[in-house]
Amino acid sequence: MKSTRPEGQRIAIAAESLYLANLLILPGIGFLLLLALAFWGREGRAPLAAAHLDQTVRASLWAGLLLIIVISAVMAIAGAGAMYVWTLVILYFIVCHTTLVLLGVFGLAKALAGHCWRYPLVGPPLPGGCPQAKRHV
């Protein structure tokens, strides 16, 4: 019996799962595994797989930038001694992290459905040939 899965769906699901693992249970390790998946066998990849891999790598880089660098900068500028700084940092982390996780869950749902999807604001353009892709300029 022939599989009805779109070509590249397994890699797309793995990419979105590793993105979420990086944010939730394996920070750093999930990102390294995602990078390995993204650069292993890069040539001749199905558009669905290429789209999800490109999106998750770019979103992971932005997640690190938004979470680590911004919080470090706030702490360096405002100091770590004031209670309002900790309140601001915790609130920022919760809002930013939750948004990144929610986008990852949405990306995983799209991968499970066999659709391409672009992460808002940070995602690169989708490759040609993506199934059911809405193109964003």
Side-chain angles (χ1 to χ4, degrees):
M1 187 163 121
K2 187 176 179 181
S3 175
T4 59
R5 285 180 179 238
E7 187 180 358
Q9 186 177 21
R10 282 186 167 172
I11 294 174
I13 293 169
E16 296 292 347
S17 298
L18 287 170
Y19 170 79
L20 287 170
N22 180 45
L23 285 172
L24 296 172
I25 58 173
L26 296 171
I29 296 170
F31 180 64
L32 292 175
L33 292 172
L34 178 62
L35 283 179
L37 182 63
F39 291 111
W40 171 71
R42 196 167 176 89
E43 296 301 317
R45 201 170 257 153
L48 178 63
H52 281 276
L53 281 168
D54 291 345
Q55 297 297 318
T56 54
V57 168
R58 178 82 60 95
S60 293
L61 292 171
W62 273 100
L65 182 75
L66 290 170
L67 294 174
I68 296 169
I69 294 178
V70 170
I71 290 174
S72 297
V74 168
M75 297 290 271
I77 292 169
M83 200 49 80
Y84 75 90
V85 173
W86 283 100
T87 304
L88 178 67
V89 165
I90 291 170
L91 183 61
Y92 173 79
F93 181 83
I94 290 170
V95 170
C96 189
H97 188 265
T98 303
T99 302
L100 292 166
V101 170
L102 182 63
L103 291 173
V105 169
F106 193 71
L108 180 59
K110 288 292 195 174
L112 288 167
H115 299 174
C116 290
W117 183 67
R118 181 179 178 267
Y119 278 77
L121 301 176
V122 299
L126 295 173
C130 270
Q132 299 86 15
K134 282 189 173 181
R135 302 248 177 233
H136 294 96
V137 179

